[in-house]
Amino acid sequence: MRRGVHAAAVLLALGLAAPASGAYRQVDTWGRLGSGPGEFGSGVLGGGANRQYDDPAGISLSGDGSTVFVVDTSNNRVEKFSRSGAFQGQFGSRGRDSGAINRVSMKGRFYQPAGFAVGPNGLVYVVDSGNDRVMVHAQGGAFVRRIGHHGSKRGEWVQPWGATTFGSTVFVVDQGNYRVQRWTLDGGYLGAWGGFGRRRGQFVTPYDVAVSPGGDRVYVTDSIRRKVIVFGPSGSLIGEFGQSGTGAGRFLKPAGVAVARDGTLFVADRCNRRIDHLTADGGFIESFGGGTLETPTFLAVDESNRVYVSDYRRVVVFAPTSQLARPSSLGRASQRRGFDVACSGIRP
């Protein structure tokens, strides 16, 4: 092994930053523990394994880039912020639903929401994971429609997770059914692909989904397989990349994925506690956030290539150093480090 590569692997194993080019720097952070405006993860779901829900989850920007939407899983709501972290509002509250019927009383209620996507139609798609459904709202919070319900048949869900939109299509990870589903923006079922297994194109724990700028590639992270799997827009397998480890281009628990306008990928690796920046084919560009991030979960990229990361009880923002004269205020870091129980005992 070359000396430089070995040194990078050691730094990453220790949770320290080891970027290839140093192109990204942390420029902002907001949020803290609580259930008030602008806070995340009150702990109402309990401790132990449920500490993972102290992390804000799905994160997306509005079409004009002025608003950052963040799913606050533990408090069962969606919060809205300016790009500088100023709180703008929220919607949603706690509610359980068997998922078997479309109960009118459950409008605007979530249970352990996870993924989030903003459609080109201006509507937002909240993946209500604990209720096995996708809830569609106006950006101000008004309920529009519900998509799907609990089950394993065509158009049904078991613990849906990550989501994205491209053109007239909504892509949603159906984690419990080991597949990705496609829907129209107005809730029409288009199809699904996947299946349980460790062979090429199969899933064990699919987590998030993103689409290339041209719409010809759909990227799906699989946390347990420690891979990013690449499909065509209708589910044909293109390839996959990634292997277990702490070194450059390796994953321990890949989670959120986002694609920049230039087609490069950003992958949140929860157990390596960093963001990996990769080419469209999985080639390593750099890692950043090591030593800063605690449990990075989902992420979003704006038109200026700023990266917004859902982390333990907060949002952390990174920007290309070429755009920065000096770093902005970073606020207070968390007093207690986050911990993903799924990382316990993981070996490269």
Side-chain angles (χ1 to χ4, degrees), residues 50-91:
N50 281 331
R51 282 181 61 188
Q52 64 180 306
Y53 297 117
D54 278 348
D55 304 334
I59 183 168
S60 295
L61 283 88
S62 59
D64 63 3
S66 63
T67 301
V68 183
F69 296 88
V70 186
V71 173
D72 181 7
T73 301
S74 184
N75 289 311
N76 299 291
R77 64 185 179 183
V78 175
E79 296 191 82
K80 301 187 293 181
F81 301 87
S82 71
R83 293 202 298 181
S84 60
F87 179 75
Q88 294 182 336
Q90 65 183 49
F91 63 89

Side-chain angles (χ1 to χ4, degrees), residues 22-25 27 266 286 302 304-307 318-325:
Y24 274 82
R25 179 194 299 167
V27 294
F266 295 89
E286 66 174 316
D302 70 13
S304 299
N305 287 328
R306 290 197 171 208
V307 181
F318 297 88
T321 54
S322 60
Q323 299 177 9
L324 305 176

